């Protein structure tokens, strides 16, 4: 750690082990990004991301990279919520997630919530590349401020590509200094928890679920490919998770 903040990258590589399971030849964490393999199920390997330090703090540059090979199945979660906090170092913190899933691979990316604490500045970028019959379940949940606290500044971008073609590319900025209207009726409408679920399945290329509302502040939208997007708003993290879990049960 320096006055410029922490620089750390965690790397995961999952490959088919030739015996019907999934091996993890690369499982390498740094600094605040510790990785632990936990008991899997069937062919699936499971990894838990454990925060070894507070953060991300101002000036930090953190990244997580995961690669899933043909025939491998990987599920990644986190042990607790990630809390963006102001730090001694000035400037914005960055948290980059890069996911690569080969033809025939499957990834479930299901971290806990990201909480934007008051006074923090964080830019999150998630980029996913899939090929062929790759499968994906990706959940993002963001909570603006802790209880009784105004949020920090949070900018989040999610890009999903299939065989080089963009399925989704969207960005949202919230909190102090964000473009006007982020908390208005056309965007968050006063809610403090927002989330999305991206599900990519080869069978959606033949028959994709129809667009429809999922309650008052959630909706399912088919994407231009074998994928659907669920977006949701809620007053708190618990109710947001309930909406996304119900949608995931229905889709998978």
């Amino acid at each position: 750690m320096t006055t410029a903040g922490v620089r750390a990258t965690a790397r995961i590589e999952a490959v088919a082990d030739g015996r019907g399971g999934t091996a993890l030849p690369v499982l390498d964490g740094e600094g605040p990004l510790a990785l632990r393999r936990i008991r899997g199920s069937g062919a699936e390997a499971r990894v838990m991301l454990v925060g070894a330090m507070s953060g991300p703090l101002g000036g930090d540059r953190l990244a997580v990279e995961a690669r899933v090979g043909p025939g491998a199945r990987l599920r990644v979660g986190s042990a607790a919520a990630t809390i963006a906090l102001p730090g001694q170092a000035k400037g914005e913190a960055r948290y980059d997630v890069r996911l690569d899933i080969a033809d025939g691979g499957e990834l479930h990316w299901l971290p806990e919530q990201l909480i934007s604490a008051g006074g923090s500045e964080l830019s999150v970028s998630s980029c996913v590349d899939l090929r062929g019959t790759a499968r994906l379940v990706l959940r993002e949940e963001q909570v603006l401020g802790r209880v009784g606290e105004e949020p920090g500044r949070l900018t989040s971008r999610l890009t999903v590509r299939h065989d080089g073609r963009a399925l989704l590319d969207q960005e949202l900025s919230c909190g102090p200094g964000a473009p006007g209207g982020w908390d208005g009726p056309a965007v968050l409408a006063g809610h403090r928890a927002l989330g999305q679920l991206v599900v990519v399945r080869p069978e959606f290329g033949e028959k994709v679920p129809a667009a429809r509302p999922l309650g008052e502040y959630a909706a399912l939208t088919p994407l231009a490919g074998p994928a659907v997007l669920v977006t949701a708003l809620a007053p708190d993290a618990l109710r947001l998770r309930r909406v996304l879990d119900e949608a995931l049960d229905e889709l998978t």
Side-chain angles (χ1 to χ4, degrees), residues 124-127 140 142 155-159 169-172:
V124 180
S125 174
S126 300
C127 184
E140 285 192 342
Q142 295 156 354
T155 300
S156 176
R157 182 172 183 177
L158 173 60
T159 305
D169 191 349
Q170 66 179 24
E171 182 173 298
L172 178 66

Side-chain angles (χ1 to χ4, degrees), residues 210-226:
R212 62 187 184 276
L214 300 173
E216 188 174 3
Y217 294 106
L220 182 152
T221 305
L223 300 177

Side-chain angles (χ1 to χ4, degrees), residues 5 19 31 39 52 59 61 105 116 118 132 141 156 182 184-185 191 198 201-202 223 229 234 240-241:
R19 303 186 302 274
R39 185 181 297 274
R61 299 291 185 269
S116 174
E141 298 170 305
S156 176
W182 65 269
H191 293 86
V198 179
R201 297 169 65 91
L223 300 177
L229 170 68
L240 176 67
R241 176 66 59 84

Side-chain angles (χ1 to χ4, degrees), residues 80-134:
T82 297
I83 305 178
L85 296 164
Q88 293 182 344
K90 300 298 182 181
E92 178 184 70
R94 287 196 57 87
Y95 197 123
D96 296 320
V97 175
R98 296 183 286 273
L99 310 175
D100 186 277
I101 311 159
D103 184 15
E106 182 172 346
L107 173 63
H108 288 228
W109 187 262
L110 302 168
E112 294 301 309
Q113 297 91 356
L114 168 64
I115 300 173
S116 174
S120 66
E121 291 185 59
L122 177 64
S123 176
V124 180
S125 174
S126 300
C127 184
V128 187
D129 280 289
L130 305 101
R131 287 178 294 282
T133 60

